[in-house]
């Protein structure tokens, strides 16, 4: 859940954050992980159509920057940012409704299981064309600047997305106009089956920022405290009119590109090595040590989330699909109804 | 009343809408300091400031995509694509994002945006400054496609587009910019989207066209009139959604129809109009639905005789009309 940035006299722990903030981040990490694992399972059980893009292993890179944003700030996520959607405040009920595509689906069953969005909560529904949300998100930031608003945009994408021409055009424009946007690159080392070394010759993807005239930084994307702090500073700069930042978060997806991908192009040692860097385990260890979290508290948090998930699934599975005629709706404003042929 | 050129009508519409609604802003290449390569945005940066008249880098993807994003959070962008020949990179954004935004979000996000596109041949522009390319957008549900042919419509339709709540691709034929002049009312007016206009009534055949080709069709109709052939001339004005009723009613009356478009024949706008006439009013037809189009070649070639050869003109249109009458 988003909270205000201003905290009363933060007592800072080893991570540089207050225990409260770290617990808030941790709660969102756990919620994201549990939802994600459950959605994978439901897919394998054939309980919904399409496919599912798991972000397990990468949660810190999406939860970290999003936590603490204002409601009026906008996030522009791609396909692997369930953590950002949940942290910006989309209730699990809506996440599951999106995946199930039944009549309670926020997009009325139109788009894709992983395209969670909410205008009210400032989450742009992702679309499948990689990096498009960076371009559109930059446009939102341009509008905020024209409107002289104090809001920022977080643009998310994978390292693969940085190879697209439109992504370059957007960042170039954002640099010229010092737009209030922070770009978060989730570098999980793979774009489907293509390794990051085949995506670009630059050493770090954050080096690309040099070409646009704003700062770029590469950080450990599995350290949620570090991600939150780094993004927080960039967000403050953006709010103060100091322009964009490109933050490359090094991370790793534990599973396939989507649930239908066995991901046999990766070495087992690489996977094992990254699983040891589990972002949740790291935050948890710190919180247990400081006493902010106890095993008992953790169990009740898990039970609470578990119940929320169960309820969301129950609601979705009793829902009908929308009527097929819904296909005709939301093409244009009411001024231009779509013609209906009869066969 | 004063004589206003086609391009002045566009400038006036932009200025008046920017005055009327502070959400309206412009973005495009050379539109600010320079006032546009054809001067459509002349004086607007001085008047409204560089926040609302943005000189963009050469970034057609961003001009379109950034405008979509701005439209999503309460702005009314009017991006300019300097030449239709360079709109192709924007299509990723216009087709994949703009046209689908309302649909793919269950109506949550909308895209009130008007993309001005300078297009068309008969100006010696060569292969890459003469293209029209309206058919790419015509075939995309979710977009509104407009191509005016008179200053009055240019102004009134541009205002309707800007005031509306849908993504509009608004084509401006550059051959008309300074050629066509008209007296325009002083007071505010709009022209409704989706309505064609009967420019000349007739009883023997219907000629349907738009943009520059409307003027060529009118020239042909005047020549035909002298030969005793009475042509009804319809200017489509809006291509998507097109005015089915007006075209069908006219075809029912005349029983013969000639469809004229500047771009290549295959898969063009008139292919759709033709198929629909055949589906809906077949019983009324006394002759095959016939098209006069640009050549089925990649674009309008540069050398003047070839450009002339490519384009439909009054003679070609009149010639085809005679054949339709003889059938
Ligand atoms: C423009 C475009 N090209 C190709 C695809 C197919 N595709 C979907 S995701 C993906 C890989 C994306 O890699 P990256 O940006 O690194 O994100 P990740 O999946 O690793 O999170 C590809 C090739 C697409 N959706 N859009
Ligand atoms: Mg990747």
């Amino acid at each position: 859940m988003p909270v205000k940035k201003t905290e009363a006299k933060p007592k800072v722990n080893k991570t540089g954050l207050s225990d409260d903030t770290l617990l808030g981040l941790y709660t969102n990490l756990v919620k994201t992980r549990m939802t994600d694992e459950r959605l994978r399972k439901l897919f394998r059980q054939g309980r919904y159509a399409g496919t599912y893009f798991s972000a397990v292993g990468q949660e810190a890179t999406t939860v970290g920057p999003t936590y603490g944003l204002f409601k009026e700030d906008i996030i522009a996520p791609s396909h692997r940012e369930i953590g950002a959607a949940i942290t910006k405040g989309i209730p699990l009920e809506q996440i599951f409704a999106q995946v199930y595509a039944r009549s309670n689906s926020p997009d009325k069953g139109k788009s894709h299981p992983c395209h969670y969005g909410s205008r009210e909560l400032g989450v742009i529904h992702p679309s499948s064309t990689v990096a498009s949300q960076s371009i559109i998100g930059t446009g939102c930031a341009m509008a905020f600047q024209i409107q002289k608003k104090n809001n920022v945009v977080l643009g998310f994408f994978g390292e693969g997305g940085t190879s697209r021409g439109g992504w370059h055009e957007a960042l170039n424009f954002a640099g010229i106009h010092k737009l209030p946007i922070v770009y978060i690159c989730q570098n999980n080392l793979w774009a489907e089956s293509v390794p990051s070394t085949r995506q670009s010759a630059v050493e770090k993807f954050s080096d690309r920022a040099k070409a646009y005239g704003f700062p770029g930084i590469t950080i450990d994307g599995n350290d949620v405290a570090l991600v939150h702090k780094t993004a927080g500073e960039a967000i403050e700069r953006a709010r103060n009119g100091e322009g964009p930042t490109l933050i490359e978060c090094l991370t790793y997806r534990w599973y396939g590109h989507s649930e239908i991908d066995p991901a046999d192009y990766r070495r087992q040692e690489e996977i094992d090595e990254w699983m040891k860097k589990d972002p949740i385990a790291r935050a948890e260890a710190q919180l247990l040590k400081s006493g902010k979290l106890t095993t008992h508290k953790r169990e009740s948090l898990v039970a609470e989330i578990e119940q929320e998930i169960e309820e969301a699934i129950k609601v979705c599975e009793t829902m009908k699909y929308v009527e097929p005629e819904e296909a005709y709706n939301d093409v244009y404003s009411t001024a231009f109804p779509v013609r209906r042929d009869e066969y | 009343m004063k004589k206003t050129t086609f391009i002045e009508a566009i400038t006036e519409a932009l200025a008046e809408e920017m005055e009327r609604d502070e959400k309206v802003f412009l973005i495009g290449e050379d539109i600010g300091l320079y006032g546009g390569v054809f001067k459509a945005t002349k004086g607007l940066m001085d008047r409204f400031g560089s926040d609302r008249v943005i000189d963009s880098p050469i970034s057609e993807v961003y001009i379109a995509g950034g405008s979509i994003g701005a439209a999503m959070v309460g702005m009314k962008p009017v991006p300019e694509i300097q030449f239709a020949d360079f709109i192709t990179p924007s299509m990723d954004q216009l087709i994949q994002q703009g046209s689908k935004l309302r649909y793919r979000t269950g109506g949550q996000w909308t895209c009130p945006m008007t993309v001005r596109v300078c297009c068309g041949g008969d100006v010696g522009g060569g292969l890459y400054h003469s293209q029209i390319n309206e058919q790419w957008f015509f075939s995309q549900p979710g977009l509104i496609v407009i191509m005016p042919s008179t200053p009055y419509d240019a102004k009134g339709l541009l205002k309707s587009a800007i005031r509306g709540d849908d993504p509009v691709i608004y084509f401006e034929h550059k051959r008309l910019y300074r050629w066509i002049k008209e007296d325009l009312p002083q007071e505010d007016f709009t022209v409704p989207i989706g309505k064609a206009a009967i420019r000349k009534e007739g009883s023997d055949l219907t000629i349907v066209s738009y943009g520059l080709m409307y003027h060529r069709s009118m020239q042909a109709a005047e020549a035909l009139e002298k030969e005793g052939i009475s042509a009804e001339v319809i200017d489509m004005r809006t291509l998507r959604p097109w005015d089915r009723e007006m075209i069908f009613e006219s075809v029912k009356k005349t029983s013969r129809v000639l469809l004229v478009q500047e771009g290549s024949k295959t898969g063009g706008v008139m292919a759709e109009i033709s198929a629909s006439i055949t589906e809906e009013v077949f019983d009324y037809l006394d002759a095959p639905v016939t098209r006069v189009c640009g050549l089925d070649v990649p674009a309008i070639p540069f050398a003047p005789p070839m450009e002339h050869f490519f384009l439909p003109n009054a003679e070609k249109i009149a010639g085809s009309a005679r054949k339709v009458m003889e059938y």
Side-chain angles (χ1 to χ4, degrees):
Chain A
M1 278 288 147
V3 292
K4 289 222 166 179
K5 265 239 117 58
T6 42
E7 298 152 19
K9 274 277 168 231
K11 219 183 101 227
V12 173
N13 64 33
K14 213 180 93 194
T15 65
L17 300 177
S18 73
D19 282 347
D20 281 340
T21 303
L22 191 60
L23 183 64
L25 288 163
Y26 172 78
T27 305
N28 279 286
L29 291 178
V30 174
K31 203 168 170 181
T32 303
R33 171 77 54 93
M34 287 174 66
T35 305
D36 197 326
E37 287 288 14
R38 190 54 182 272
L39 286 169
R40 295 184 62 230
K41 195 165 157 194
L42 290 168
F43 178 77
R44 290 198 301 278
Q45 293 170 335
R47 309 260 285 268
Y48 61 86
T51 187
Y52 176 72
F53 294 101
S54 169
V56 167
Q58 303 188 192
E59 296 91 346
T61 68
T62 54
V63 170
T66 311
Y67 186 77
L69 285 179
F70 296 116
K71 189 173 170 216
E72 298 73 23
D73 293 330
I74 281 192
I75 64 167
S78 184
H79 55 294
R80 217 177 292 285
E81 275 92 24
I82 184 169
I86 288 176
T87 308
K88 193 72 171 44
I90 298 193
L92 292 193
E93 188 194 308
Q94 277 183 37
I95 299 277
F96 281 85
Q98 178 65 33
V99 172
Y100 272 84
R102 306 284 172 91
S103 53
N104 61 338
S105 154
D107 71 352
K108 302 179 191 159
K110 295 281 180 26
S111 189
H112 182 282
C114 295
H115 290 175
Y116 337 93
S118 165
R119 182 171 193 167
E120 201 200 331
L121 295 166
V123 182
I124 298 178
H125 300 60
S127 77
S128 292
T129 43
V130 159
S132 56
Q133 60 288 335
S134 311
I135 303 161
I136 284 171
T138 305
C140 297
M142 171 170 73
F144 286 159
Q145 186 177 69
I146 299 172
Q147 295 161 344
K148 303 194 167 44
K149 282 199 179 148
N150 196 22
N151 295 111
V152 296
V153 179
L154 285 188
F156 288 94
F157 43 86
E159 83 293 346
T162 71
S163 302
R164 292 201 76 207
W167 182 87
H168 162 84
E169 290 190 12
L171 273 76
N172 183 54
F173 189 91
I176 296 168
H177 291 270
K178 289 195 180 303
L179 295 186
I181 183 164
V182 176
Y183 296 102
I184 310 286
C185 174
Q186 293 206 67
N187 181 358
N188 59 7
L189 310 188
W190 295 89
E192 208 153 345
S193 68
V194 178
S196 56
T197 49
R198 284 278 175 254
Q199 205 64 243
S200 170
V202 292
E203 203 178 308
K204 298 175 182 162
F205 284 84
S206 64
D207 286 346
R208 292 190 181 292
K210 288 197 189 96
Y212 315 123
F214 56 77
I217 180 171
T218 298
I219 58 170
D220 176 354
N222 282 9
D223 179 343
V224 75
L226 178 65
V227 176
H228 180 67
K229 274 183 300 183
T230 310
E233 285 159 20
I235 289 167
E236 279 318 295
R237 282 200 301 278
R239 267 198 224 291
N240 294 334
E242 292 167 52
T245 306
L246 170 57
I247 302 174
E248 175 188 12
C249 298
L250 293 171
T251 187
Y252 199 74
R253 68 167 150 80
W254 287 9
Y255 307 119
H257 172 67
S258 82
E259 287 309 300
I260 54 173
D261 168 26
D264 48 12
Y265 41 82
R266 308 191 300 187
R267 288 179 300 112
Q268 191 56 44
E269 303 86 79
E270 182 181 281
I271 301 168
D272 293 343
E273 186 194 317
W274 276 95
M275 281 178 118
K276 281 189 219 136
K277 299 187 214 166
D278 180 0
I280 297 187
R282 287 162 78 175
E284 192 171 282
Q286 172 63 35
L287 284 165
L288 286 170
K289 214 168 82 191
S290 74
K292 187 73 191 172
L293 187 71
T294 59
T295 25
H296 175 71
K297 270 196 204 162
R298 188 184 54 195
E299 276 162 23
S300 54
L301 172 69
V302 167
E304 210 177 286
I305 297 169
E306 194 59 51
Q307 197 191 337
E308 211 181 325
I309 290 175
E310 287 307 331
E311 275 165 20
I313 294 172
K314 201 156 29 147
V315 170
C316 291
E317 296 202 339
T318 53
M319 285 280 162
K320 290 199 174 100
Y321 281 108
V322 291
E323 292 301 318
E325 284 73 20
E326 170 58 34
Y328 283 123
N329 296 339
D330 293 321
V331 178
Y332 296 101
S333 64
T334 49
F336 306 104
V338 172
R339 270 175 42 79
R340 300 174 183 221
D341 281 318
E342 307 233 333
Y343 298 106
Chain B
M1 300 279 246
K2 66 172 181 59
K3 289 267 184 233
T4 305
T5 62
F6 191 90
I7 196 163
E8 285 165 351
I10 288 164
T11 314
E12 282 178 13
L14 292 172
E16 288 171 25
E17 291 310 295
M18 290 181 83
E19 195 67 63
R20 185 175 176 272
D21 183 353
E22 62 174 17
K23 298 196 286 292
V24 179
F25 76 98
L26 317 181
I27 179 169
E29 294 157 18
D30 305 294
I31 66 165
L33 275 182
Y34 193 52
V37 291
F38 290 95
K39 302 291 174 233
T41 51
K42 190 175 150 194
L44 298 183
M45 187 190 246
D46 280 346
R47 193 160 154 199
F48 296 102
S50 55
D51 273 3
R52 290 180 69 200
V53 183
I54 303 170
D55 266 326
S56 151
I58 306 168
S59 297
E60 282 77 12
V61 183
Y62 181 73
I63 291 171
S67 295
I68 293 167
M72 289 169 72
V73 290
M75 299 300 289
K76 291 215 145 193
V78 187
E80 176 184 300
I81 299 296
Q82 201 168 68
F83 289 92
D85 315 62
F86 312 132
I87 201 168
T88 341
S90 308
M91 290 181 69
D92 178 36
Q93 296 301 304
L94 300 174
I95 305 284
Q96 295 306 334
Q97 306 302 323
S99 81
K100 295 172 177 59
L101 185 65
R102 184 188 292 271
Y103 198 68
R104 72 179 183 79
T105 66
Q108 288 190 42
W109 301 88
T110 57
C111 185
M113 161 179 85
T114 305
V115 187
R116 293 180 40 246
V117 188
C118 169
C119 73
D122 201 20
V123 293
L127 208 70
Y128 288 103
H129 292 78
S130 303
Q131 297 168 34
I132 189 158
N133 295 340
E134 82 290 21
Q135 78 282 8
W136 295 338
F137 301 94
F138 173 75
S139 62
Q140 179 55 51
L143 296 179
I144 302 280
V145 183
I146 292 172
M147 193 177 312
S149 68
T150 68
Y152 185 90
D153 284 352
K155 185 168 179 179
L157 280 165
L158 184 51
K159 285 181 167 235
S160 293
I162 293 171
R163 291 181 198 181
D165 204 19
D166 293 289
V168 177
I169 316 296
Y170 176 93
F171 284 93
E172 304 168 4
H173 200 296
K174 63 177 91 71
R175 177 72 178 83
L176 306 179
Y177 274 159
R178 292 187 166 74
W179 174 31
I180 307 295
K181 298 186 185 66
E182 196 175 3
D183 287 329
L184 295 188
Q186 292 293 309
E187 61 275 14
D188 185 49
F189 67 93
T190 60
V191 171
I193 292 170
K195 297 274 176 263
I198 295 180
R199 301 290 190 195
K200 175 185 172 304
E201 295 209 12
S203 52
D204 295 334
L205 88 159
T206 301
I207 306 179
V208 183
S209 61
Y210 52 90
L212 173 64
M213 288 303 119
Y214 151 67
H215 295 278
R216 300 297 179 227
S217 298
M218 202 63 170
Q219 291 166 337
E222 278 154 19
L224 291 166
E225 197 71 30
K226 292 186 189 120
E227 301 166 21
I229 297 172
S230 165
E232 179 142 301
V233 181
I234 295 182
D235 177 0
M236 287 178 70
R237 309 199 286 188
T238 298
L239 307 184
R240 185 177 189 114
W242 57 281
D243 192 342
R244 305 168 70 86
E245 287 68 35
M246 184 177 285
I247 291 174
F248 293 160
E249 283 312 309
S250 179
V251 173
K252 283 187 197 170
K253 183 174 83 176
T254 63
S255 300
R256 292 167 200 267
V257 61
L258 188 65
L259 307 172
V260 186
Q261 96 194 5
E262 175 171 328
S264 304
K265 191 176 213 171
T266 304
V269 171
M270 290 311 179
E272 176 63 26
I273 313 299
S274 167
S276 298
I277 290 171
T278 313
E279 269 177 353
E280 306 278 339
V281 287
F282 182 76
D283 287 348
Y284 294 85
L285 290 171
D286 287 341
V289 180
T290 303
R291 286 175 290 167
V292 184
C293 303
L295 308 186
D296 253 351
V297 301
I300 300 183
F302 175 55
M306 261 196 293
E307 176 172 34
H308 181 76
F309 185 66
F310 178 102
L311 288 168
N313 57 29
E315 292 75 58
K316 293 182 193 174
I317 297 166
S320 292
R322 285 183 205 105
K323 283 190 201 140
V324 170
M325 289 312 297
E326 282 158 18
Y327 183 86

